[in-house]
Amino acid sequence: MSLKLLKQALNTAAPLPRMWRARELKDHYDVVIIGGGAHGLACAYYLAKDHGITDVAVLEKSYIGSGGSGRNTTIIRSNYLTPEGVRFYDESVKLYEEMAAELDFNVMFSQRGHLTLAHTDAAVRTMRRRAEVNRLQGVDSRLIWPDEIKRLCPPIDISDHPRYPIQAALYHPPGGVIRHDAVVWGYAAQADAGGVHLHQQTRVTGLQMEGGRVVGVETHRGRIGAGIVLNATAGWATTIADMAGVRLPITTFPLQACVTEPLKPFLDVIIVSGSLHVYVSQSDRGELVMGAAVDPFASYALRGSLSFIEGIAGHMLELFPSFAPARIMRLWAGLCDMTPDYSPIMGFTPVEGFLVDVGWGTYGFKAAPVSGKRMAELIASGQTPDLLRPFRLSRFAEHDLVGEKGAASVGH
Ligand code: PYC
């Protein structure tokens, strides 16, 4: 425990300082960011820190981190399939590695290694290709075989008894897990310290347009003028974009996840099976954090379902028969905005002043630092950074897609 924390704990008379303040809503900001998740907060933080742009508001309709940032299964990795994706997520992993020092907040990043299992010849070929692409970009990934998988993960069943025996895995040592709400709180605290206004419980009801550009945001608390508006929402990305008359190629699906009761630590790698549609890691509280494929229908439901529990339990037990006695304690869903190529959309839109950081599917949390940093650079310079160019909205009209389905981890 740090000395600062110990002094605070012993000093019961002085209330703990708030990590960010509630401020008056001003009638104009240079930049208004819609969405108080890790992406919106990271962008606000980097605008202030890297570019001295502090006249910034983050509008969140609920509490910060209440969307995908607080609902994901906290996996960080950069073992993607396309060179564009690998380069982009690799910068994010590097920013995550420095985050605790950068934000002066313990985000509990644990780089314990990430294994994507292959159960078919076709999956082995895809993993081999991913390993090659990763290594060409300087990212640590390699194909490993069942004996090494068993050494890294003793409880896994590598026998030929399961319906889909394990043939190989893509091993990515830098992959890890992190405390997701600490990331949100760390960015929020430092954005606030940099002068950014965080407005929770502030719902956007419309955008104001003048002469083909966006000039303001209507909220249920009143109108705010804005130089730039960034849509950094998930689930409501198309709703907000519609307000500016911008059509996004996005469909929203729920992704469910669950945790078991806490167990003694026994699983210190992350295991993903794209074929069985399951992934699992053990949290520092001992819970098994598990998820599956997105629901097979578009919806905005945030609750878990019995069919999800039945499916995940069956598939998980094929990999880990010893999980059988573990009880599932909680389940929930998050909203995943899927694009046709399973890559996000970042940058300018045809409407002047209206920018997007959307379409994050099932991989948004792991990209928050890099998208925040590079979107801040784009806003400050008016130029699209090289790392973001492949993910521009116009790629769909230009037939220049970035196909990442083979690395999405989760079935879609
Ligand atoms: O892309 O690593 C991933 C992931 C895990 C769970 C959902 N997406």
Side-chain angles (χ1 to χ4, degrees):
M1 188 186 278
S2 78
L3 195 58
K4 192 168 93 187
L5 208 59
L6 190 64
K7 276 190 190 154
Q8 273 164 3
L10 296 174
N11 184 359
T12 46
L16 283 175
R18 287 196 170 274
M19 287 181 69
W20 54 87
R21 291 157 277 189
R23 319 246 205 174
E24 290 295 308
L25 197 63
K26 293 202 309 176
D27 59 12
H28 186 278
Y29 291 92
D30 289 345
V31 181
V32 171
I33 298 173
I34 307 174
H39 281 246
L41 294 165
C43 182
Y45 165 72
Y46 286 113
L47 278 170
K49 187 204 157 223
D50 289 358
H51 306 285
I53 299 176
T54 57
D55 190 26
V56 178
V58 178
L59 309 182
E60 167 53 52
K61 72 179 171 54
S62 179
Y63 58 91
I64 61 166
S66 53
S69 301
R71 293 168 180 276
N72 64 84
T73 44
T74 80
I75 296 171
I76 310 295
R77 63 185 175 93
S78 59
N79 57 354
Y80 279 75
L81 180 63
T82 65
E84 296 87 341
V86 177
R87 280 195 288 272
F88 177 77
Y89 288 97
D90 184 40
E91 180 164 302
S92 216
V93 169
K94 290 185 173 130
L95 290 166
Y96 270 120
E97 284 169 349
E98 296 159 6
M99 184 176 279
E102 166 98 22
L103 300 180
D104 190 21
F105 200 69
N106 184 1
V107 288
M108 297 158 98
F109 188 23
S110 159
Q111 289 181 283
R112 55 183 65 181
H114 181 284
L115 278 76
T116 313
L117 305 176
H119 305 262
T120 62
D121 292 351
V124 175
R125 274 196 297 277
T126 305
M127 298 311 154
R128 197 186 291 282
R129 184 169 151 208
R130 274 171 73 180
E132 293 300 323
V133 175
N134 289 188
R135 288 155 81 95
L136 281 171
Q137 299 303 323
V139 166
D140 188 2
S141 281
R142 63 188 165 89
L143 208 58
I144 61 172
W145 309 102
D147 51 346
E148 190 169 355
I149 298 172
K150 186 75 179 169
R151 193 174 54 69
L152 289 165
C153 183
I156 204 161
D157 185 354
I158 55 161
S159 73
D160 57 5
H161 299 152
R163 188 161 167 204
Y164 300 106
I166 296 168
Q167 294 194 18
L170 179 68
Y171 178 40
H172 177 49
V177 287
I178 198 165
R179 179 79 196 274
H180 53 3
D181 27 36
V183 173
V184 169
W185 299 335
Y187 274 132
Q190 292 303 334
D192 173 88
V196 170
H197 286 194
L198 307 183
H199 297 295
Q200 304 188 80
Q201 309 297 338
T202 304
R203 189 161 28 87
V204 171
T205 54
L207 295 179
Q208 292 195 322
M209 315 289 293
E210 247 174 53
R213 68 158 295 141
V214 71
V215 292
V217 177
E218 286 156 17
T219 78
H220 81 288
R221 294 173 58 197
R223 176 188 183 277
I224 311 167
I228 300 272
V229 174
L230 171 63
N231 176 4
T233 60
W236 285 267
T238 51
T239 312
I240 300 291
D242 280 351
M243 293 173 182
V246 172
R247 284 193 63 209
L248 297 176
I250 283 177
T251 313
T252 302
F253 294 87
L255 177 63
Q256 299 188 44
C258 62
V259 291
T260 64
E261 61 189 324
L263 305 166
K264 282 191 180 165
F266 69 97
L267 181 68
D268 58 5
V269 288
I270 302 153
I271 297 287
V272 177
S273 166
S275 310
L276 293 178
H277 302 305
V278 287
Y279 45 91
V280 60
S281 65
Q282 188 169 25
S283 76
D284 34 49
R285 278 198 295 237
E287 302 151 330
L288 295 174
V289 183
M290 306 186 291
V294 295
D295 285 352
F297 41 79
S299 152
Y300 287 78
L302 289 176
R303 281 193 296 188
S305 66
L306 181 60
S307 58
F308 161 76
I309 292 287
E310 284 176 338
I312 199 165
H315 287 151
M316 202 56 89
L317 291 176
E318 292 234 344
L319 295 176
F320 296 101
S322 61
F323 283 11
R327 282 172 297 190
I328 290 175
M329 302 298 276
R330 288 183 288 117
L331 65 157
W332 65 92
L335 298 179
C336 300
D337 286 345
M338 306 308 307
T339 63
D341 61 357
Y342 299 82
S343 285
I345 310 174
M346 287 174 280
F348 299 106
T349 71
V351 171
E352 209 184 321
F354 182 65
L355 312 181
V356 288
D357 171 10
V358 296
W360 282 104
T362 59
Y363 21 82
F365 178 69
K366 55 183 66 54
V370 64
S371 69
K373 190 172 179 71
R374 297 302 176 177
M375 283 302 297
E377 183 185 334
L378 179 146
I379 291 170
S381 66
Q383 305 291 323
T384 302
D386 289 347
L387 268 188
L388 298 196
R389 193 159 301 115
F391 306 107
R392 67 202 179 281
L393 174 59
S394 63
R395 75 177 185 273
F396 297 101
E398 294 157 4
H399 306 287
D400 191 14
L401 304 188
V402 188
E404 278 294 5
K405 187 167 187 181
S409 247
V410 174
H412 299 103

